[in-house]
Amino acid sequence: GESVGLHLPTLSVQEGDNSIINCAYSNSASDYFIWYKQESGKGPQFIIDIRSNMDKRQGQRVTVLLNKTVKHLSLQIAATQPGDSAVYFCAEHQAGTALIFGKGTTLSVSS
Amino acid sequence: NAGVTQTPKFRVLKTGQSMTLLCAQDMNHEYMYWYRQDPGMGLRLIHYSVGEGTTAKGEVPDGYNVSRLKKQNFLLGLESAAPSQTSVYFCASTRPSGTTDTQYFGPGTRLTVL
């Protein structure tokens, strides 16, 4: 079936580097996408979302890019900090259904 | 606001026992969801509710039942627990706004079935 997935299960970066976490989706009917951050022992926390009629959206230190041509979503974190270490999930929304989550990418930030 | 709360935080069951997980939200959200999360996996939807008195099946509903008697509460029941139901369970809620449908999650319940 159609699903949302992430390219890499783990990503290791140095503090201060920029991080890019990728996600591929397969359903062109999805109307928006959300990135969540999950720290150990906690529930997922909303980071940023983007509607399907946009190709870029910026937040505080984060940018989400959407490429509908290749059905690709990315989350860019600027000046990555140790506190950014977590599992990051993308999720897609299709009208009339609940969110579909990818498997997650574990981001490890070393000092 | 407390947001989304879940009780209990941890539970150990023996195979065949039953239990109910409680989710409560104080944000007046219409929609509520139950997910399970297994190691290396994303969140998989068990059941959800689009309003008081209504429930619907998600991706992995077998072995679970739910009830939404009050708008602020969403209960997940296991009638006869199995080791395959060992998981971390998350509840979420949202108020569909017509623009985005951001879900707010609870802290999770870690369930072990022996």
Side-chain angles (χ1 to χ4, degrees):
Chain A
E2 294 178 314
S3 64
V4 174
L6 288 166
H7 293 302
L8 293 174
T10 61
L11 176 65
S12 297
V13 301
Q14 292 285 324
E15 182 178 1
D17 287 349
N18 296 332
S19 302
I20 300 176
I21 301 171
N22 296 305
C23 177
Y25 66 95
S26 58
N27 193 331
S28 58
S30 296
D31 56 0
Y32 68 87
F33 305 85
I34 305 175
W35 280 101
Y36 283 92
K37 173 186 180 182
Q38 186 177 21
E39 296 176 281
S40 181
K42 297 183 179 180
Q45 181 182 10
F46 171 85
I47 301 173
I48 192 169
D49 60 10
I50 186 168
R51 294 196 63 80
S52 60
N53 61 355
M54 303 170 66
D55 53 19
K56 181 179 180 179
R57 190 169 188 209
Q58 287 185 295
Q60 187 176 12
R61 279 202 309 120
V62 295
T63 300
V64 56
L65 299 177
L66 177 63
N67 185 331
K68 292 183 289 295
T69 301
V70 295
K71 296 179 184 173
H72 183 269
L73 188 70
S74 69
L75 177 70
Q76 300 179 4
I77 305 173
T80 312
Q81 303 168 0
D84 294 326
S85 295
V87 180
Y88 290 81
F89 294 95
C90 65
E92 65 177 316
H93 178 269
Q94 300 163 22
T97 69
L99 291 176
I100 300 173
F101 287 82
K103 291 184 171 57
T105 291
T106 299
L107 175 65
S108 299
V109 183
S110 54
S111 303
Chain B
N1 287 351
V4 180
T5 58
Q6 294 181 231
T7 54
K9 288 184 172 54
F10 303 93
R11 186 73 185 268
V12 178
L13 291 178
K14 294 181 180 178
T15 298
Q17 287 185 316
S18 64
M19 78 163 294
T20 300
L21 281 67
L22 171 64
C23 176
Q25 51 94 5
D26 61 2
M27 298 174 283
N28 201 33
H29 284 172
E30 290 293 333
Y31 289 17
M32 297 185 74
Y33 308 83
W34 275 109
Y35 292 90
R36 60 176 289 171
Q37 185 176 38
D38 301 297
M41 302 286 288
L43 293 151
R44 292 186 292 169
L45 183 65
I46 304 171
H47 286 279
Y48 64 101
S49 168
V50 300
E52 183 178 323
T54 69
T55 62
K57 294 181 180 180
E59 179 186 357
V60 288
D62 294 342
Y64 305 94
N65 57 77
V66 288
S67 63
R68 183 95 182 271
L69 299 179
K70 294 182 179 180
K71 185 178 183 179
Q72 64 268 33
N73 295 336
F74 194 29
L75 278 63
L76 177 71
L78 286 73
E79 291 185 348
S80 180
S84 62
Q85 293 178 304
T86 294
S87 188
V88 180
Y89 292 85
F90 289 100
C91 175
S93 72
T94 188
R95 181 182 64 241
S97 65
T99 54
T100 61
D101 190 15
T102 301
Q103 294 185 9
Y104 296 88
F105 285 83
T109 294
R110 185 174 295 275
L111 175 66
T112 301
V113 183
L114 303 176

